[in-house]
C-alpha cells in the first residue's frame, strides 16, 4: 500500500507539472487576448484540484479552488484581464509549483499560501463590485471559425467505440483543425454511446476530409456538411452550452473532464507514459545488440561461414529498424523546453520595463531527449540575454526610430542532418568596439591580437570564458551559465554556434545540433598499438603524410592540403604513445568551427558504426574524449572529441 | 551507506575482503564489493589522472580501473598473476580497484575497529583510510571508499 501511494504520488507530481506548464502557456495566450485560454486554465486548475483532493493535499486543493473560482469570474466577464490580474494569477501558479516541489521533497503541501489566496480573494471582491457582465461565451468561441461539420456513425459491431472515435478525431486533426467534438470523450466512454458523434472542424480542403474519413475502418457512414448558415449551428451551440454547464455543476466528477475537447487531448489518448530510465535501458540494450552484431559479423568472416553471414545480415536489418524506432521514441519536440519561454520573457520584460513580442516557430521540430535536456539551460540563458541585453527600453527604441515593442523570435527547424535553433532579436545589436575593449580589459585577448581579428571573430569573443559586457551583472543575466557554457555545451553535443549582428538592428544566434547522439559513424585509427575512434561527422578527408606536404614553420607543424596550410597535431604526442614510429603516417583532416586541423595517426583501420558510452566518475570531465565504445571483439576504444581535444588552451 | 556502514552497525560484525598492497593488509566492507576479477585488456585513456589505469569492458559495462598503489602514493608494480581487480559499486558508478592480491574474507566485530592514530591521519595519503581492524593475526587497515573514489579528491589532486 505504501509503495502504491508512492507511485501515485510520483505520477501526481509529474502530471501536475505538465498541467502547470500548460497553465503558464495559457496565461500568456490569455494576456495576448486569446479567450479560449480561459477555459483551458479553468480546466487545468480544476484537474489539479481534483488530483490534489484525491491525494489529500488540502492546501493545494484550496489554492487551486481559489484560482479556479477566480478564473470562473474572468470567464464570466466579471474580472477584466489586465497585466496586474495576470501577475497575481501567475503568482498563484508559482505557488502551486512551489507546493508541488514541497510535495516531491517532503511529501507535505505545508506551504504558506494564505497571501496568495487573499490576493485572489481580493480579485473576487473587486469583480463582484464591478459586475460588468461582459459576454464571453466560450462555446461560441469554439465554433467561430468552424466551417465543416462531420457526422460520424460507427458500425454497430465496433467493439471499443470510444477508442475508434478518438482515432477518427486524431486522423481528422492531421488534416484540419478540430474545434470541438460532441459528445466529448467522457461521454463516449459510457455504455450508452451509440457510435454517432459530431466533429466541428476548420479546414480549407473538404476533399481531404473525405479522403481521410473514407480510410478509417469500422465507420458505418459519415456525412460531411459545410457550415454556412449561422442559424444552423446555433442549435448545436445550445447543446454544447448545456454540456458545459452540466460539467461545471458536476464538480464532484473529478479529474480530466474537459470543458472543451481539443486536439491536444486527443493526442494524449494515443500515447503512454514511459519512464525515462526505462527508455535509456532500452537504448543501451539496442547498443549492446549493435555490438553483438559486430561480433557475429567478425566471427562470420573469420571462419568464413556464408550461412552465418546471411543470417547476420537479416538480423542486421531488424536491428537497424529497431535502432531507428528507439531513436524515434527518444525524439522529443522542442516544444517541451520552448514552452517555458513565453512566461519567462513576459516576466522579465515586465520587470525590466521593456515591451517584447515573443514569437516561437517550429515547435514540432524533434530532438533527441538527451540533446534537448542539455541544451535547455543554455537556451534559457540566450533568451534571457536577448531580453536583458538585446532589446532596448521603449524610450530608447522610440529614440532610435524603432517601434516601442521589441521582437524576439525563437525558431527551430531541420536542415539536412542538423537541427537548427535560431534566436533573433531586433534590439541594439552587438557593439564590436565595446566587445573588443572588454575582451582586452579582461585579458581574454591582447591589444595586438584584437587588432588583427575580423569583426566576426570579435563577435565570437562573447563566448569566451569570463566575458560579460554589461558593467553590473544584473540579477537577470548574471547567474549560473554564461555564454561560454552555451558554446561548450553545444560543441560537446557535436554542434556549433554562430552569431551575426548588426549594430542597432539586432542580433541573431544560430545553433546547429545533431538530432541524435548515441550511435554515430566513426573512423577507427591506430596510433602505436592503440586504437581511437574519430566521429565521421567531423572528418573532412584523409591523406598520407609525405616529405612534400609536411612543413614545420616556426616550430609548429603544418600539413599542406591542396595548397593550404593546415595546423597538424600528432596524436602520438597528444596521447603520449611511446611505441615506435611507423614508416608512413596518415593525416586525418577534421573540421572544428569551420577551421581545418590535421590529426596525424599511424593508419586508418576501418570505418564503423559505434555506440557512444559516456565516461563516468573520474573520467567524466576528461578533455579530448566524448566517451568510449566497445568494438565487435570486445575491445574498448576511446572516442576522440575534436572540440575539446583541440580546444581553448592548446591552440592559444 | 557507502563507507559509513562499518561504524553504523554498532555491536555487529562486518564481513571484510582482505587484500594486499605491498606488505600491508587492507580491508573493504564486502557489502560494497560487487565482484573480484583478474585484470583483462585495459584500455588506456590519455590525459587521465595517473592513478587511473584505464577502462575495461565488464560484460558490456565500461568500468574505470584505478591503481590503488598509485592512488595511495605507493610505488607502482607491474601486473602479475596475483593481481586482482576489486569491483565496487559506488555512488551508482562501477569502479575497479587494482590491488596486488586478494587474500580472504574475514569477519570483524565493529568493536574491534578503531580510529587511526592521529600521527597517521595527519599524513597526506592517510585520508583514504578510516580505521584499523584488530585481527588475531595482526592489524588490518580499513579503507574509506568514499574518499578513495570521490571526485573532489580527483579535482584537488590535479
Amino acid at each position: 500500500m505504501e509503495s502504491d501511494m508512492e507511485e501515485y504520488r510520483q505520477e501526481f507530481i509529474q502530471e501536475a507539472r505538465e498541467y502547470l506548464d500548460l497553465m503558464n502557456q495559457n496565461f500568456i495566450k490569455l494576456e495576448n487576448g486569446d479567450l479560449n485560454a480561459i477555459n483551458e486554465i479553468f480546466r487545468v486548475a480544476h484537474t489539479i484540484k481534483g488530483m490534489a483532493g484525491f491525494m489529500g493535499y488540502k492546501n493545494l486543493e484550496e489554492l487551486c479552488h481559489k484560482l479556479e473560482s477566480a478564473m470562473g469570474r474572468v470567464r464570466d466577464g466579471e474580472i477584466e484581464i489586465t497585466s496586474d490580474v495576470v501577475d497575481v494569477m501567475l503568482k498563484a501558479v508559482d505557488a502551486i509549483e512551489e507546493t508541488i516541489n514541497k510535495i516531491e521533497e517532503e511529501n507535505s503541501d505545508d506551504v504558506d499560501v494564505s497571501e496568495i489566496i487573499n490576493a485572489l480573494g481580493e480579485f473576487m471582491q473587486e469583480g463582484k463590485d464591478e459586475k460588468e457582465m461582459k459576454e464571453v461565451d466560450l462555446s461560441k468561441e469554439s465554433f467561430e471559425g468552424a466551417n465543416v461539420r462531420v457526422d460520424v456513425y460507427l458500425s454497430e459491431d465496433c467493439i471499443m467505440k470510444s477508442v475508434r472515435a478518438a482515432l477518427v478525431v486524431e486522423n481528422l486533426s492531421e488534416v484540419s483543425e478540430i474545434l470541438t467534438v460532441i459528445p466529448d470523450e467522457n461521454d463516449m466512454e459510457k455504455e450508452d454511446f451509440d457510435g454517432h458523434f459530431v466533429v466541428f472542424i476548420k479546414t480549407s480542403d473538404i476533399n481531404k476530409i473525405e479522403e481521410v474519413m473514407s480510410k478509417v475502418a469500422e465507420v458505418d457512414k459519415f456525412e460531411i456538411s459545410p457550415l454556412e448558415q449561422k442559424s444552423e449551428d446555433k442549435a448545436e451551440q445550445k447543446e454544447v452550452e448545456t454540456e458545459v454547464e452540466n460539467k461545471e455543476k458536476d464538480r464532484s466528477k473529478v479529474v480530466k473532464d474537459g470543458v472543451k475537447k481539443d486536439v491536444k487531448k486527443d493526442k494524449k489518448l494515443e500515447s503512454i507514459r514511459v519512464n525515462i530510465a526505462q527508455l535509456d535501458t532500452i537504448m543501451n540494450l539496442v547498443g549492446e545488440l549493435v555490438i553483438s552484431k559486430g561480433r557475429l559479423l567478425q566471427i562470420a568472416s573469420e571462419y568464413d561461414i556464408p550461412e552465418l553471414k546471411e543470417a547476420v545480415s537479416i538480423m542486421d536489418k531488424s536491428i537497424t529498424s529497431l535502432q531507428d524506432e528507439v531513436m524515434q521514441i527518444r525524439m522529443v519536440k522542442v516544444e517541451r523546453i520552448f514552452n517555458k519561454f513565453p512566461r519567462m520573457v513576459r516576466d522579465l520584460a515586465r520587470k525590466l520595463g521593456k515591451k517584447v513580442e515573443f514569437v516561437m516557430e517550429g515547435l514540432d521540430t524533434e530532438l533527441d531527449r538527451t540533446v534537448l535536456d542539455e541544451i535547455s539551460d543554455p537556451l534559457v540563458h540566450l533568451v534571457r540575454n536577448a531580453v536583458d541585453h538585446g532589446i532596448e527600453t521603449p524610450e530608447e527604441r522610440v529614440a532610435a526610430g524603432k517601434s516601442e515593442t521589441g521582437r524576439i523570435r525563437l525558431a527551430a527547424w531541420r536542415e539536412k542532418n542538423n537541427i537548427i535553433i535560431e534566436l533573433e532579436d531586433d534590439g541594439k545589436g552587438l557593439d564590436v568596439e565595446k566587445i573588443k575593449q572588454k575582451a582586452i580589459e579582461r585579458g581574454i585577448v591582447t591589444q595586438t591580437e584584437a587588432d588583427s581579428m575580423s569583426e566576426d571573430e570579435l563577435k565570437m569573443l562573447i563566448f569566451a570564458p569570463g566575458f560579460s559586457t554589461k558593467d553590473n551583472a544584473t540579477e537577470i543575466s548574471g547567474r549560473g551559465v554564461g555564454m561560454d557554457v552555451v558554446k561548450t555545451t553545444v560543441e560537446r553535443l557535436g554542434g556549433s554556434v554562430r552569431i551575426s549582428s548588426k549594430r542597432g538592428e539586432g542580433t541573431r544566434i544560430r545553433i546547429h545540433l545533431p538530432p541524435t547522439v548515441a550511435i554515430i559513424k566513426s573512423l577507427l585509427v591506430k596510433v602505436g598499438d592503440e586504437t581511437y575512434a574519430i566521429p565521421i561527422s567531423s572528418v573532412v578527408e584523409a591523406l598520407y603524410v609525405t616529405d612534400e606536404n609536411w612543413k614545420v614553420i616556426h616550430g609548429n607543424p603544418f600539413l599542406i592540403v591542396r595548397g593550404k596550410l593546415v595546423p597538424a597535431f600528432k596524436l602520438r604526442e597528444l596521447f603520449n604513445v611511446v611505441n615506435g614510429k611507423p614508416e608512413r603516417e596518415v593525416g586525418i583532416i577534421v573540421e572544428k568551427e569551420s577551421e581545418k586541423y590535421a590529426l596525424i595517426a599511424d593508419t586508418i583501420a576501418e570505418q564503423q558504426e559505434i555506440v557512444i558510452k559516456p565516461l563516468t566518475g573520474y573520467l567524466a570531465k576528461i578533455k579530448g574524449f566524448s566517451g568510449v565504445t566497445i568494438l565487435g571483439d570486445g575491445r574498448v576504444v576511446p572516442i576522440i572529441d575534436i572540440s575539446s581535444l583541440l580546444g581553448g588552451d592548446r591552440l592559444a | 551507506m557507502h563507507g559509513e556502514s562499518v561504524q553504523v552497525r554498532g555491536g555487529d560484525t562486518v564481513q571484510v575482503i582482505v587484500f594486499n598492497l605491498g606488505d600491508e593488509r587492507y580491508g573493504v566492507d564486502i557489502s560494497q564489493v560487487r565482484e573480484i576479477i583478474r585484470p583483462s585488456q585495459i584500455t588506456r585513456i590519455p590525459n587521465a589522472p595517473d592513478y587511473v589505469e584505464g577502462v575495461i569492458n565488464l560484460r558490456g559495462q565500461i568500468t574505470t580501473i584505478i591503481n590503488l598503489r598509485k592512488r595511495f602514493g605507493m610505488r607502482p608494480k607491474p601486473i602479475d598473476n596475483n593481481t586482482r581487480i576489486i569491483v565496487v559499486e559506488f555512488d551508482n558508478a562501477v569502479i575497479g580497484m587494482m590491488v596486488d592480491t586478494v587474500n580472504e574474507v574475514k569477519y570483524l566485530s565493529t568493536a574491534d575497529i578503531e580510529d587511526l592514530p592521529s600521527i597517521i591521519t595527519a599524513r597526506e595519503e592517510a585520508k583514504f583510510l578510516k580505521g584499523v581492524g584488530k585481527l588475531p593475526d595482526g592489524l588490518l587497515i580499513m579503507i574509506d571508499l568514499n574518499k578513495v573514489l570521490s571526485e573532489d579528491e580527483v579535482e584537488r589532486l590535479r
Side-chain angles (χ1 to χ4, degrees), chain A residues 158-178:
Chain A
C158 174
I159 300 172
M160 295 181 72
K161 290 198 173 71
S162 59
V163 176
R164 178 56 62 190
L167 278 176
V168 172
V169 174
E170 172 68 21
N171 282 346
L172 284 173
S173 74
E174 276 164 21
V175 294
S176 67
E177 189 183 331
I178 308 279

Side-chain angles (χ1 to χ4, degrees), chain A residues 530 575 613 618 634-636, chain B residues 41 43-44 57 60 66 148 154:
Chain A
E530 295 178 354
F575 297 161
K613 301 213 169 213
Y618 296 117
R635 265 185 307 154
V636 181
Chain B
Q41 195 173 26
T43 301
R44 188 178 70 97
N57 168 11
I66 65 165
V148 174
V154 181

Side-chain angles (χ1 to χ4, degrees), chain B residues 67 69 75-81 83 98 100:
Chain B
N67 186 325
R69 269 179 171 265
R75 227 156 21 104
K77 171 175 178 268
I79 292 173
D80 61 24
N81 245 344
T83 308
M98 202 160 90
D100 290 359

Side-chain angles (χ1 to χ4, degrees), chain A residues 224-256:
Chain A
I224 299 172
S225 35
L227 296 174
E228 272 152 26
Q229 293 133 345
K230 276 271 167 195
S231 59
E232 195 188 309
D233 51 359
K234 276 252 170 73
E236 284 296 327
Q237 272 170 27
K238 273 269 162 54
E239 204 181 314
V240 178
E241 265 166 37
T242 44
E243 286 262 349
V244 175
E245 267 166 35
N246 284 341
K247 286 261 169 47
E248 272 162 46
K249 276 175 201 147
D250 197 358
R251 287 257 164 90
S252 60
K253 200 172 80 183
V254 184
V255 191
K256 281 190 184 164

Side-chain angles (χ1 to χ4, degrees), chain A residues 288 295 530 532 574-577 613 615-619 621-623 625 628 630 634-636 638 650, chain B residues 41 43-49 51-52 55-57 60 62 64 66 71 95 148-151 154-155 158:
Chain A
E288 297 298 326
R295 201 166 300 180
E530 295 178 354
Y532 294 91
L574 289 182
F575 297 161
N576 303 315
V577 179
K613 301 213 169 213
L615 287 166
T616 51
Y618 296 117
L619 301 173
K621 289 176 197 152
I622 198 156
K623 286 219 162 133
F625 301 97
V628 294
I630 301 178
R635 265 185 307 154
V636 181
R650 201 176 291 278
Chain B
Q41 195 173 26
T43 301
R44 188 178 70 97
I45 303 290
N47 308 328
Y51 52 81
V52 174
V55 292
I56 60 163
N57 168 11
I62 298 297
T64 307
I66 65 165
R71 185 69 167 133
I95 290 172
V148 174
L149 304 179
S150 79
E151 260 190 89
V154 181
E155 287 297 314
R158 261 183 198 164

Side-chain angles (χ1 to χ4, degrees), chain A residues 319-359:
Chain A
I319 292 178
T320 311
S321 330
L322 179 63
Q323 193 180 313
D324 290 347
E325 276 313 303
V326 177
M327 287 294 196
Q328 212 50 52
I329 295 174
R330 286 173 57 90
M331 298 295 256
V332 185
K333 290 183 177 159
V334 293
E335 199 177 7
R336 223 183 67 172
I337 58 166
F338 277 21
N339 274 341
K340 64 182 166 196
F341 292 136
R343 162 91 199 264
M344 202 183 82
V345 171
R346 174 204 177 269
D347 286 359
L348 211 65
R350 248 174 98 70
K351 197 171 192 174
L352 296 168
K354 295 179 179 181
K355 288 193 174 165
V356 181
E357 181 200 0
F358 185 63
V359 192

Side-chain angles (χ1 to χ4, degrees), chain A residues 380-483:
Chain A
V380 168
H381 183 74
L382 290 178
V383 174
R384 278 174 175 283
N385 252 338
V387 182
D388 189 17
H389 301 310
I391 302 292
E392 314 90 325
T393 59
E395 300 79 48
E396 281 171 343
R397 289 187 64 89
V398 171
K402 297 187 197 177
S403 73
E404 215 176 53
T405 309
R407 187 183 146 95
I408 297 176
R409 177 177 152 270
L410 179 64
W413 69 91
R414 196 179 174 123
E415 199 175 282
K416 279 187 280 174
N417 253 336
N418 273 313
I419 297 295
I420 293 166
I421 297 177
E422 191 177 84
L423 182 75
E424 200 179 27
D425 67 62
D426 66 351
K428 54 179 169 263
L430 292 177
D431 184 341
V432 179
E433 268 313 305
K434 206 168 161 194
I435 291 173
K436 197 166 153 184
Q437 274 172 27
K438 269 279 139 78
I440 296 166
E441 230 168 77
R442 306 264 149 116
I444 296 163
V445 289
T446 63
Q447 180 76 47
T448 19
E449 272 174 328
D451 287 340
S452 67
M453 285 172 109
S454 73
E455 198 152 297
D456 279 344
E457 281 172 319
L458 285 169
K459 281 176 193 158
M460 288 305 282
L461 281 178
I462 63 165
F463 291 110
F467 188 90
S468 161
T469 43
K470 219 159 199 196
D471 294 317
N472 314 317
T474 53
E475 183 203 341
I476 290 108
S477 314
R479 61 174 97 153
V481 295
M483 292 298 264

